[in-house]
Structures are given as C-alpha cells and as structure tokens.
Amino acid sequence: MLVLISIIVIAVVVALVYNNNKKKITETIEKVESTIAPAVKEVKEVVAKAEAEIAKTKKPAAKKTTKK
C-alpha cells in the first residue's frame, strides 16, 4: 500500500514539474518571438527598399539586332 501511494505521489510531482517546465518553455518562446518579430519586419522593409532601388537603377538589357 505504501509503495502504491509513493508511486502516485511521484507521478503527481513529475506531472507538475513537466507542466511547469512546459509553461516556462512556452513563455520563453513567446518572449523570443516578440523580440525577433520587429527585427524581422525591419529587415524585410530594408530588403524591399533595396530591391526597389536595384529595380530603378537596373537598365533594361539592350536588344541585339543582327542584320543580314
């Protein structure tokens, strides 16, 4: 009987620790995402501006005409 109670107590403790760690991991991931999201947005904007500048300065390829 004592062994059964001990097993139940250990299982409950393990479940609580696992659940607590899961919450901490979720919170950490959310913090990282909230930190990285603005940087990613800024990088995307810079890339879009750079692509627009490249498109403006890029000259269209000259057509080669061959006369026979």
Side-chain angles (χ1 to χ4, degrees), residues 29-45:
I29 290 172
E30 289 172 355
K31 286 179 185 176
V32 169
E33 286 177 345
S34 66
T35 303
I36 291 176
V40 170
K41 183 178 178 185
E42 189 174 332
V43 168
K44 285 181 180 179
E45 290 173 358

Side-chain angles (χ1 to χ4, degrees), residues 2 29 32 38-41 46 48 51 53-54 58 60 64 66:
L2 185 59
I29 290 172
V32 169
V40 170
K41 183 178 178 185
V46 169
E51 286 176 344
E53 283 294 318
I54 291 170
K58 202 175 201 180
K64 294 183 179 179
T66 54

Side-chain angles (χ1 to χ4, degrees), residues 2-53:
L2 185 59
V3 173
L4 181 62
I5 293 172
S6 298
I7 292 172
I8 292 172
V9 168
I10 291 171
V12 168
V13 169
V14 168
L16 290 173
V17 168
Y18 173 76
N19 194 27
N20 192 27
N21 286 343
K22 192 174 172 184
K23 286 180 184 177
K24 286 182 181 178
I25 291 170
T26 303
E27 289 173 358
T28 303
I29 290 172
E30 289 172 355
K31 286 179 185 176
V32 169
E33 286 177 345
S34 66
T35 303
I36 291 176
V40 170
K41 183 178 178 185
E42 189 174 332
V43 168
K44 285 181 180 179
E45 290 173 358
V46 169
V47 168
K49 288 178 183 177
E51 286 176 344
E53 283 294 318

